């Protein structure tokens, strides 16, 4: 067994140390991972929807096949336990009931405790899974790449439940946060449209065609899944937990305030210093004889002798 040092247990195995170090808080956090699980009662539509969403989230997703008896909105301790065991901060729970139909409960954790959650039901008539779509563009899409997002509808700015759904979709599928991205890497787009009673989720492949100019012509091909959602229940985050979740570390704030400092490709810190132009005329510089202005006596004497010659002539 490991001996405690300063009140903390230090593991002996190097692999355990690396695993614990990976779980430590960081200034820039890792990509958020998601686990998908289903309840005691679920349908094939729920399984297909979760399988396709897991495929869109790969490689930062895990699909659990075991059935679970708990209900997330009544008791979420089991979800928090799984989040702590897997070290995943996002989850999707699929279930089916006679009253609400085929439901997905999507949520996120903070410090392995439930932060917020939303329940949506999937319409069976309009549902179309990924494997039902055909096309060459579907094969060229690199799953795991960063998608583009389009949110259509004023409800994403006015309605609190639609704001939460938008935030969860962005957290689920945006992947790693980067400052720059190559245009060729933008090969798919997620389009979400909201009306008064439904939310339409579409997934498209993006093709850049020649247009004769620098800006390429963009073509969209739907690759699935195609889902229509109805928002059922919402569990918003508590104010205290929300403040702690949104709090940024001091190191990140100090980095944001530092101007004219950047890092090179080799990791070296480079600084840019701006200096005002100095007035060299008032500075006490060393004077050299070669730089002194000479009096043009020789030229004056030459002009006088020339005049004399002209007078004598």
């Amino acid at each position: 067994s490991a001996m405690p040092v300063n009140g903390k247990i230090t593991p002996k195995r190097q692999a355990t140390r690396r695993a614990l170090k990976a779980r430590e808080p960081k200034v820039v956090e890792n990509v958020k991972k998601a686990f998908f699980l289903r309840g005691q009662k679920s349908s094939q539509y729920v399984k297909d929807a979760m399988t396709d969403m897991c495929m869109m989230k790969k490689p930062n997703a895990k699909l659990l096949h075991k059935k679970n008896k708990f209900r997330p909105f009544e008791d979420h301790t089991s979800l928090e336990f799984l989040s702590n065991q897997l070290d995943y901060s996002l989850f999707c729970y699929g279930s089916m009931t006679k009253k609400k139909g085929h439901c997905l409960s999507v949520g996120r954790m903070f410090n392995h405790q439930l932060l917020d959650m939303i329940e949506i039901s999937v319409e069976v008539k309009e549902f179309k899974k990924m494997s039902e779509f055909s096309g060459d563009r579907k094969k060229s899409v690199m799953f795991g790449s960063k998608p583009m997002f389009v949110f259509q509808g004023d409800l994403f700015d006015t309605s609190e439940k639609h704001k939460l759904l938008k935030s969860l979709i962005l957290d689920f599928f945006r992947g790693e946060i980067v400052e720059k991205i190559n245009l060729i890497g933008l090969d798919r787009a997620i389009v979400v449209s909201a009306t008064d009673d439904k939310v339409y989720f579409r997934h498209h492949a993006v093709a850049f065609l020649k247009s004769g100019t620098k800006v390429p012509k963009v073509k969209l091909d739907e690759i699935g899944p195609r889902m229509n959602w109805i928002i059922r229940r919402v569990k918003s985050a508590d104010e205290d937990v929300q403040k702690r979740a949104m709090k940024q570390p001091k190191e990140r704030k100090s980095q944001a305030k530092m101007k004219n400092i950047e890092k090179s490709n080799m990791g070296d810190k480079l600084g840019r210093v701006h200096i005002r132009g100095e007035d060299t005329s008032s500075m006490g510089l060393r004077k050299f004889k070669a730089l002194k202005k000479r009096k043009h006596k020789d030229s004056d004497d030459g002009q006088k002798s020339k005049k004399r010659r002209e007078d004598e002539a």
Side-chain angles (χ1 to χ4, degrees), residues 101-309:
H102 314 271
C103 294
L104 298 173
S105 299
V106 183
R108 54 191 164 189
M109 303 283 181
F110 170 69
N111 198 17
H112 304 302
Q113 293 182 350
L114 184 66
L115 180 64
D116 47 23
M117 180 169 48
I118 190 168
E119 185 184 55
I120 50 179
S121 62
V122 182
E123 284 191 340
V124 178
K125 293 181 180 179
E126 297 294 329
F127 178 75
K128 197 174 180 181
K129 58 184 180 179
M130 232 181 247
S131 59
E132 295 178 11
F133 286 88
S134 60
D136 297 333
R137 285 295 308 156
K138 184 177 163 185
K139 299 176 183 178
S140 62
V141 172
M142 293 289 294
F143 288 101
S145 60
K146 287 183 70 65
M148 295 178 282
F149 294 92
V150 180
F151 291 92
Q152 298 176 335
D154 297 335
L155 291 171
F156 288 116
D157 298 322
T158 57
S159 173
E160 292 298 326
K161 58 183 181 181
H162 286 81
K163 285 181 182 178
L164 176 59
L165 180 61
K166 177 182 177 180
S167 178
L168 285 168
I169 292 172
L170 288 172
D171 259 4
F172 246 81
F173 300 111
R174 70 179 173 182
E176 187 177 356
I177 300 173
V178 293
E179 294 181 359
K180 297 179 181 179
I181 190 169
N182 193 351
L183 182 65
I184 301 173
L186 299 173
D187 55 0
R188 59 197 183 107
I190 295 174
V191 183
V192 187
S193 308
T195 59
D196 294 335
D197 55 346
K198 292 180 184 179
V199 177
Y200 303 91
F201 183 91
R202 302 291 184 267
H203 186 211
H204 299 272
V206 179
F208 295 105
L209 307 176
K210 292 182 179 180
S211 61
T213 61
K214 291 183 179 180
V215 181
K217 184 181 178 182
V218 180
K219 182 184 178 184
L220 297 179
D221 296 323
E222 191 174 357
I223 58 174
R226 180 193 294 172
M227 293 184 284
N228 292 357
W229 295 337
I230 299 174
I231 299 175
R232 295 295 184 184
R233 289 184 288 179
V234 173
K235 187 187 184 305
S236 302
D238 298 331
E239 290 185 6
D240 297 336
V241 182
Q242 185 76 19
K243 285 182 181 178
R244 285 192 283 116
M246 299 294 289
K247 188 177 180 181
Q248 292 187 358
K250 294 181 180 178
E251 292 85 354
R252 193 160 188 179
K253 289 182 179 179
S254 61
Q255 288 179 1
K257 290 180 182 178
M258 294 171 71
K259 294 182 178 179
N260 301 322
I261 294 177
E262 56 186 6
K263 281 192 176 183
S264 65
N265 296 330
M266 302 299 292
D268 300 325
K269 187 181 285 187
L270 304 175
R272 188 181 290 105
V273 181
H274 299 275
I275 302 175
R276 293 182 180 179
E278 297 185 10
D279 186 9
T280 56
S281 61
S282 62
M283 295 176 64
L285 301 175
R286 185 180 177 184
K287 297 180 180 179
F288 296 94
K289 291 182 179 181
L291 299 176
K292 289 183 179 179
K293 292 182 179 180
R294 294 181 180 181
K295 295 179 180 179
H296 301 285
K297 290 183 178 180
D298 299 338
S299 61
D300 294 342
D301 294 341
Q303 288 178 359
K304 288 178 181 179
S305 60
K306 189 176 181 181
K307 285 182 180 181
R308 287 175 186 174
R309 291 170 191 170

